[in-house]
Amino acid sequence: SDLVFLNLLKDAYPNYKNLSFNKYFYSLNAKPEWRLNRNSMHLELKEKMFIHYESGSLVLSFSQSIDLQEIETLDALLLNSRIVEKEKPRQFYMIKKQDYGSYELAEFNAKNWEVNLSENYNDDLLQLNEKLIKFITAEDQTGVILLHGIPGAGKTSYIRHLISCCSTRFIYMPNTIVKQISQPDFISFISSFPGSVLVLEDGEEIVGHRENNPSFSGITNLLSLGDGLLGDALKLKIICTFNCELKKVDKALLRPGRLKFRYEFGKLLPEKVDFLYKKLNLKNQEKGSKTLAEIYHPNQLEENLQSDKSIGFKKN
């Protein structure tokens, strides 16, 4: 086992028994079921002496017949130990609408991938990164973050980095759901997850000028969740990415005080590109500014162009 305290107990109580891995009643998404929780166990050290382990916490239970000196010795042993578990993937979720109309969260595992920002992004993002993480992890903050720029510049990779760095719940929200976020049933659903970060990728339609699509309420709903009374109540953070030019974004979203943060992803500066080429041992490459996609996936990019596709979007 990777739980260090178990190794200590083996020395002190070589005959201890692991009675069970506890099962717990899992009711998320109104789908009750029994699941095996391998982060919880109940140990019998000896007769009338038990330890319960649950999510990093230890509870010692014993009968009054157990010698107090033995309890004190065991207490000191556990206090001086460290509980170390295998590094687990960060968890994130996607909102799904079921056939019968209700919403649910589908759970996914995200790789614990912390990209080296200083090597793969320009320095102005490094300066913003700490502020973003502080904002995302603050329990009493709410607001909208816009991450935009050319395709292949690393917007999605940076979001993965944020997921790896923050213990906050990240929820991916498909664009089709955005049209419904002002509905009472959605508000009731999302209110069960206050403090979460909602992620909306490829949100050109959502952030676009309302006069171009008066019937679409995406921008209004986005502002209500991130900047209105609803946002104040739920303490939601919203990350929205898009590739279109900033001039195509609805002005209501760009007014002072509306946005918490905005960052435009562009090509890496030539000195950053040269560094990565040397690190990746890529020789005879063209000098100058490049996107991350052009550096790490040049063959894929060429294939996409040959098939009349750009990264993320089809050409019109």
Side-chain angles (χ1 to χ4, degrees), residues 55-107:
S55 301
S57 299
L58 291 172
V59 177
L60 176 62
S61 302
F62 54 92
S63 168
Q64 291 182 346
S65 62
I66 302 295
D67 183 71
L68 184 59
Q69 181 62 47
E70 182 178 1
I71 298 301
E72 292 176 349
T73 301
L74 178 59
D75 183 53
L77 176 71
L78 296 175
L79 286 175
N80 290 326
S81 69
R82 294 182 302 111
I83 300 173
V84 180
E85 300 182 60
K86 285 184 178 179
E87 187 179 21
K88 301 174 187 176
R90 294 291 186 186
Q91 294 180 334
F92 72 104
Y93 306 82
M94 183 176 72
I95 299 176
K96 296 174 63 178
K97 195 165 187 178
Q98 298 177 329
D99 293 338
Y100 48 86
S102 65
Y103 297 95
E104 68 170 348
L105 286 187
E107 183 177 329

Side-chain angles (χ1 to χ4, degrees), residues 85-200:
E85 300 182 60
K86 285 184 178 179
E87 187 179 21
K88 301 174 187 176
R90 294 291 186 186
Q91 294 180 334
F92 72 104
Y93 306 82
M94 183 176 72
I95 299 176
K96 296 174 63 178
K97 195 165 187 178
Q98 298 177 329
D99 293 338
Y100 48 86
S102 65
Y103 297 95
E104 68 170 348
L105 286 187
E107 183 177 329
F108 298 91
N109 285 328
K111 296 178 181 179
N112 282 331
W113 180 50
E114 295 186 29
V115 64
N116 190 320
L117 295 185
S118 63
E119 294 180 0
N120 292 275
Y121 292 92
N122 292 322
D123 291 344
D124 55 348
L125 180 61
L126 304 182
Q127 300 168 6
L128 181 63
N129 181 60
E130 291 186 10
K131 296 179 181 179
L132 272 174
I133 291 177
K134 185 177 180 180
F135 168 70
I136 287 172
T137 55
E139 295 182 357
D140 60 343
Q141 293 291 312
T142 183
V144 179
I145 300 169
L146 291 186
L147 304 179
H148 62 102
I150 57 177
K155 295 183 288 296
T156 298
S157 295
Y158 180 65
I159 293 176
R160 290 195 187 104
H161 170 75
L162 290 176
I163 293 173
S164 294
C165 291
C166 304
S167 58
T168 309
R169 180 193 296 109
F170 282 74
I171 301 175
Y172 179 83
M173 187 161 63
N175 291 347
T176 53
I177 301 291
V178 177
K179 301 177 182 180
Q180 305 166 33
I181 61 179
S182 63
Q183 299 300 315
D185 58 340
F186 182 83
I187 294 173
S188 176
F189 165 77
I190 203 64
S191 64
S192 299
F193 311 102
S196 298
V197 178
L198 301 183
V199 179
L200 293 79

